[in-house]
Amino acid sequence: MGGFFGTISKSACSTDLFYGTDYNSHLGTRRGGMATYDKEAGFTRSIHNLESSYFRTKFEPALDKFVGNAGIGIISDTDAQPIVINSHLGKFAIVTVAKINNIDELERDLLKANMHFSELSSGKTNQTELVALLITQGNDFVEGIENVFDRIKGSCSMLLLTEDGIIVARDKWGRTPIIIGKKEGAFAATSESSSLPNLDYEIDRFVGPGEILRLRADSIEQMRQPNEQMQVCSFLWVYYGFPVSCYEGRNVEEVRFQSGYKMGKKDEYEVDCVCGIPDSGVGMALGYAEGKGAPYHRAIAKYTPTWPRSFTPANQEMRSLVAKMKLIPNRAMLEGKRILFCDDSIVRGTQLRDNVKILYDYGAKEVHMRIACPPLIYGCPFLGFTSSKSDLELITRRIIKELEGDENKNLDKYATTDSPEYQKMVDIIAERFGLSSLKFNTLETLVEAIGLPKCKVCTHCFDGSSCF
Ligand code: SF4
């Protein structure tokens, strides 16, 4: 997905920019970049590959060169960013959190309009540069950003570092969040509100869908009002989000806890203890344990010194290896126990298979699994939350294909909790992985835990619903 951070201050911004961007590291794995602007020195930009290293390691040695009071930074899951561009709107640097599905069509149109692309990432068009070109087709920044909103299929939130402040624009459906932080003499804009507390910012506001703001060191100007409709990604609370982050005023850990609590309250299975699969399963498991009245035990632990979550290779085989190596089972807490594990989701099932086997190998008597969200039936066209090339990578679709002879048949039935098709699919997953029991959260419980009206939350990957 990717995450960004921008700040504008009455004093030098590089320290806040550096740490604020770094606090988005769990959202992306490929490229890190920063750009600052100073009246005298102009724009300074740097981009590093993060596939085998960390943002802080790469940027710390050269931090002194980022001069100025305003800057933007990105942890990108796609292209090299920020892009710096000179245009009739003035010079600006831009970072995006975006997924553009019609990139080929837009590229063709822009080339036909005599525009050109200079930043080719791995031989392909850089989508952030494409967004920058769409912006420059407008007569002003607002018109240009609206051009992006109107023409892209997918989602796009962005920060523009201009010679007069930072322009903040949230995706028109609000699929990805932007939070504004404020402190004496400075404003910040970030994908994760967890970037703010240690840099002494308070949350000032949650940017609305399609809203455009201009931040200056001492003021916020609203350049475009937010849209009425919103489709914020529900998976932010389930998986992407850092526990202390808030989107739309709803805290990630609280939502995970509530959703686990509600599941635990009504679960009929008796277990000896509950454990969360680190990291995103922990909040849910703590809630489940409280709801169920069973103790929480750390029967597996994550080796955090060298396996932070952000360190996730793009290649599936390596990802499975990393997933296995960073979780270590604890025989002393597993032996002879009926244990219930909570995890965020099941995508391909590869990690689940490895985890369950190891838990039995280390003496667990029963392994029950509870999943924070409903089964993932539909691919995500808005954020690309898996690197899947095809829906068939989803375990649900593979089972549907086995049962129906066609992975696209009767999807609505498989997406309906407790329908015979749904139950059959869940039973097959449980059996295939040797689970004593398996339950997925219901969409109603998840939405209730998030606390926003269903019509404001994107749940497309669970139920195929859409309003685009
Ligand atoms: S389809 Fe799923 S992952 Fe994608 S934006 Fe919607 S809820 Fe989020």
Side-chain angles (χ1 to χ4, degrees), residues 158-234:
M158 64 189 105
L159 298 180
L160 277 69
L161 175 64
T162 74
E163 291 163 308
D164 178 20
I166 294 176
I167 297 177
V168 176
R170 185 175 174 195
D171 171 59
K172 75 167 172 179
W173 290 101
R175 306 243 186 228
T176 52
I178 307 181
I179 302 97
I180 302 295
K182 181 185 182 182
K183 68 178 173 184
E184 188 59 40
F187 281 101
T190 179
S191 302
E192 284 284 45
S193 68
S194 48
S195 308
L196 302 175
N198 286 351
L199 301 173
D200 298 326
Y201 292 91
E202 295 282 342
I203 293 178
D204 178 77
R205 68 186 75 181
F206 298 91
V207 181
E211 189 174 16
I212 306 177
L213 303 172
R214 189 195 294 268
L215 307 183
R216 297 186 181 92
D218 52 7
S219 65
I220 300 186
E221 174 198 345
Q222 189 184 53
M223 300 169 81
R224 183 185 190 277
Q225 291 204 338
N227 299 329
E228 273 288 307
Q229 287 176 304
M230 179 169 72
Q231 285 285 281
V232 58
C233 168
S234 56

Side-chain angles (χ1 to χ4, degrees), residues 233-235 380 382-383 385 458 460-461:
C233 168
S234 56
F235 221 55
C380 169
F382 313 114
L383 311 179
F385 77 89
C458 177
H460 173 82
C461 48

Side-chain angles (χ1 to χ4, degrees), residues 388-414:
S388 304
K389 301 273 177 295
S390 121
D391 288 347
L392 258 183
E393 287 188 29
L394 297 169
I395 187 168
T396 51
R397 287 296 187 99
R398 293 205 305 273
I399 291 174
I400 293 169
K401 183 165 187 192
E402 285 166 31
L403 293 172
E404 305 278 354
D406 176 353
E407 72 270 20
N408 298 317
K409 200 168 167 193
N410 291 329
L411 295 186
D412 51 333
K413 292 186 179 155
Y414 287 93

Side-chain angles (χ1 to χ4, degrees), residues 439-455:
K439 285 188 186 181
F440 289 83
N441 204 353
T442 63
L443 197 52
E444 292 70 32
T445 305
L446 176 62
V447 172
E448 206 184 305
I450 290 172
L452 296 171
K454 162 87 168 71
C455 62

Side-chain angles (χ1 to χ4, degrees), residues 122-404:
S122 344
K124 290 193 209 128
T125 295
N126 180 309
Q127 64 174 18
T128 302
E129 186 182 21
L130 185 133
V131 170
L133 293 187
L134 288 172
I135 291 171
T136 59
Q137 289 193 317
N139 289 314
D140 54 37
F141 278 115
V142 171
E143 210 181 282
I145 293 168
E146 283 179 335
N147 189 36
V148 177
F149 289 163
D150 291 345
R151 296 192 56 195
I152 66 153
K153 294 197 174 103
S155 75
C156 182
S157 289
M158 64 189 105
L159 298 180
L160 277 69
L161 175 64
T162 74
E163 291 163 308
D164 178 20
I166 294 176
I167 297 177
V168 176
R170 185 175 174 195
D171 171 59
K172 75 167 172 179
W173 290 101
R175 306 243 186 228
T176 52
I178 307 181
I179 302 97
I180 302 295
K182 181 185 182 182
K183 68 178 173 184
E184 188 59 40
F187 281 101
T190 179
S191 302
E192 284 284 45
S193 68
S194 48
S195 308
L196 302 175
N198 286 351
L199 301 173
D200 298 326
Y201 292 91
E202 295 282 342
I203 293 178
D204 178 77
R205 68 186 75 181
F206 298 91
V207 181
E211 189 174 16
I212 306 177
L213 303 172
R214 189 195 294 268
L215 307 183
R216 297 186 181 92
D218 52 7
S219 65
I220 300 186
E221 174 198 345
Q222 189 184 53
M223 300 169 81
R224 183 185 190 277
Q225 291 204 338
N227 299 329
E228 273 288 307
Q229 287 176 304
M230 179 169 72
Q231 285 285 281
V232 58
C233 168
S234 56
F235 221 55
L236 289 165
W237 286 277
V238 171
Y239 169 73
Y240 284 120
F242 198 72
V244 301
S245 272
C246 294
Y247 318 112
E248 318 305 329
R250 295 291 295 139
N251 172 250
V252 171
E253 182 74 359
E254 209 183 339
V255 168
R256 288 179 187 167
F257 187 94
Q258 277 305 321
S259 131
Y261 184 86
K262 287 170 196 288
M263 277 187 96
K265 266 276 176 225
K266 52 184 184 213
D267 204 333
E268 73 281 12
Y269 281 88
E270 286 309 315
V271 293
D272 298 316
C273 58
V274 179
C275 177
I277 307 276
D279 291 314
S280 32
V282 173
M284 176 199 175
L286 286 164
Y288 184 97
E290 192 161 311
K292 181 76 194 160
Y296 183 90
H297 286 171
R298 283 210 296 170
I300 49 172
K302 183 166 143 186
Y303 192 73
T304 46
T306 52
W307 295 114
R309 174 176 155 179
S310 58
F311 197 77
T312 311
N315 164 308
Q316 177 54 40
E317 212 173 299
M318 271 306 286
R319 249 201 325 265
S320 303
L321 183 68
V322 167
K324 176 183 156 75
M325 297 313 277
K326 65 187 178 185
L327 293 181
I328 309 178
N330 186 350
R331 190 184 290 276
M333 304 305 284
L334 283 164
E335 207 139 47
K337 304 252 178 70
R338 298 171 298 171
I339 304 200
L340 186 140
F341 287 90
C342 293
D343 204 354
D344 52 69
S345 55
I346 301 178
V347 182
R348 297 173 186 82
T350 351
Q351 291 172 20
L352 180 63
R353 181 182 300 116
D354 294 346
N355 286 343
V356 175
K357 182 179 178 313
I358 225 162
L359 296 171
Y360 282 123
D361 288 350
Y362 275 72
K365 197 162 97 188
E366 292 176 14
V367 176
H368 303 262
M369 189 65 70
R370 299 294 176 265
I371 304 296
C373 60
L376 295 161
I377 306 274
Y378 302 85
C380 169
F382 313 114
L383 311 179
F385 77 89
T386 68
S387 50
S388 304
K389 301 273 177 295
S390 121
D391 288 347
L392 258 183
E393 287 188 29
L394 297 169
I395 187 168
T396 51
R397 287 296 187 99
R398 293 205 305 273
I399 291 174
I400 293 169
K401 183 165 187 192
E402 285 166 31
L403 293 172
E404 305 278 354

Side-chain angles (χ1 to χ4, degrees), residues 102-113 117 130:
N102 57 336
I103 198 157
D104 293 342
E105 170 200 326
L106 293 172
E107 184 185 324
R108 260 196 317 273
D109 290 353
L110 289 167
L111 290 174
K112 253 191 228 155
F117 296 90
L130 185 133

